[in-house]
Each structure stands twice: as structure tokens, then as C-alpha cells.
Amino acid sequence: MTAIEIATATTPTATAPTSRRRGLLRQLIDSKKALAGLILLALFALLALLAPLLVPGDPSLINSTGSQAPSAAHWLGTTAKGQDVLALTLWGARSSLFVGFTVGLVATAVAIVVGLAAAYFGRVVDDALTLVTNIFLLLPGLPLLIILAAFLPPGTSTVILVLVVTGWAGSARVLRAQAKSIRGKDFVAAAVVTGERPLRIMFREILPNMASVVMTTLLGCVIFGIGAQAGLEFLGLGDSSVVSWGTNLYWASNDGALMTGAWWAFVPSGLCIALVAFAIALVNYAVDEITNPRLRNRRARRERRG
């Protein structure tokens, strides 16, 4: 069989990834778990975007109304410095969501490039990239986060850089394994025979068949980004001048909110982190339920039983 015949024979499979992507999106919209998670995420994103209109002015402004419980004047109370907690929470969503989704996107992009390159080229490239990945996996995450954050200049870009450096390796290993199983398929071999460039094969032939794994990886990296940023800033290793859910918790701890019983100073930010992680986990679980045959069969049996 010639290369042209092989390419012709594989033409029907070229439309399969597009159909699968459309099917995945349609099933996500039909899934109650995914829909609930997406609505919750959209609500947080909307509140973050509208923060300058809903609570205008500087949320860090210090005034004389310190440590007030929630009231009509201050719906979520005030901090020990007199800052409005509702304003800090809404403005904090902008930084926390931005860092979380940026870290998720960049870490996933790095993992995709490393995983695809290792799986496609194999041999020396695979050995080298696997060695680098294993080194980052073996390094203890939290101490590395603390060391990098302590020695690099403070700022949002530093937090993103640190979290990407420490957050891509696990995802790269998963994506490499998935890409390696697709690398041996006939349609990839046909693309190689017809002389397509490696980058085109990796990103047009292999990557679309990994959509569900990539989406799960992305959601996991976003949860990691939001949680790790809050953890770093709570430890005082972030930029304390930036308003975020992590710095809100840091200042609440420094002001002794837990000891004085001022729960309103730390509960809103902590609850927001938990709700965003819960929403992403719902979407992630729905993706897994749709793409994992075992969970899909269990779901079908449950629906048949009514």
C-alpha cells in the first residue's frame, strides 16, 4: 500500500477527534455535575470582574471601624484594620482566579510539550525528558516552593513562575504515557509516511485524541495553582501588598482573628477557595465520568434503574 493509499484510508479517522470533542462538550453540558460546577465558576468570575463596580475604591484602605461583625453597613464585617471584608473578598477573587487559571494553562502547556515530545521522538529525547521530569517529581514540592518564593523578588509573576516550575512534572508524566499509546496507532504511522512534519503530527494528530486527559490535567493544575498560591501567601511568602484570598488569610492570622473569634475575617476567603476547588472538582469528575468506560457504564446502569 502506498503512502497516498494509506492517507486515503485514514481520512475517515481525521474527523473522529472533532466528533469526539463535540460529543464531550455536549455531554458536559448535559451533565448535572459539570453544569453545576461551570455555573459556580462563572459566578465567581463575574463577581471578580464586577468587583470595581460592586465595591469601588481601594479595598486595603484602613479606617477606624475595626473588627466589626457582619452588619447592614458591612455585609461581611471588617478586619482589625477596619477594611471591608466583602471588598477584600471580591477584589481577592481577581488575583486568586487569575493566578490559578494562568498557572493551570501554562503548567498544562509545558506538560503537553514535554509529554508529546518524549512520546513522539522516543529514544534519547524520551530518556532526557523523562530524567528531567523524574527529577522534578522527586524534589519535595513544599520545600522547593518555599525556597524559590523566598529567594525570588516578590510579585504575582514570581508566584506564577514558582507554581509552574513545581507543578508541571506530574502532568507531563501522565500525558507522555497517553501520547505514547497513541503514537503507535495506524493513523500516526500514516502521517509519518506521508511526510507530515513532527510538530503537525504531535499537535494535529496525537493531541486531539488526548482531549479528555488534557482537560483533566488542566483542571487539576488550576486547583493546584489556587491552593498553592493561597498556601504560599498564608505563609507570608507571596506579595503581601496584593489583595488575594491568600493574603486575606495571612492578614487575618497576623491580626489574631482566630484568637479573638473574628471568624468573618477569614471564613469568606477560605470558603471561596473551597467552593472554587469544589466547582472545578465537579467538572473534573464529570469529564472522568464521561471519558472513563467503567464510570460511564456505571452511570448508564444507574440511569436505567431510574
Side-chain angles (χ1 to χ4, degrees), residues 113-137 168-169 172-173 176 180:
V113 171
V114 172
L116 285 179
Y120 180 80
F121 292 108
R123 298 182 181 179
V124 178
V125 175
D126 187 17
D127 291 343
L129 292 177
T130 300
L131 176 63
V132 174
T133 304
N134 288 339
I135 289 172
F136 275 90
L137 281 174
W168 65 272
R173 195 165 191 174
R176 171 189 169 275
K180 206 157 187 173

Side-chain angles (χ1 to χ4, degrees), residues 1 233 283:
M1 184 179 287
E233 291 179 339
V283 179

Side-chain angles (χ1 to χ4, degrees), residues 10 25 55 62 79-80 83 88 94 143 198 219 245 290 304:
T10 58
L25 290 175
V55 281
I62 296 173
T79 67
Q83 299 154 322
L88 289 174
R94 298 167 69 88
L219 295 173
W245 292 333
I290 291 167
R304 279 198 297 272

Side-chain angles (χ1 to χ4, degrees), residues 40 44 76 85-86 88-90 92-93 96-97 223 226-231 233-234 244-253 257-258 262-279:
L40 197 53
F44 271 104
L76 294 181
V85 175
L86 177 62
L88 289 174
T89 305
L90 292 183
S96 294
L97 293 180
I223 294 177
I226 293 175
Q229 184 212 16
E233 291 179 339
F234 179 72
S244 73
W245 292 333
T247 54
N248 292 346
L249 294 175
Y250 169 74
W251 287 117
S253 175
L258 191 62
W263 55 267
W264 55 86
F266 56 85
V267 166
S269 293
L271 188 61
C272 287
I273 294 172
L275 284 176
V276 169
F278 176 66

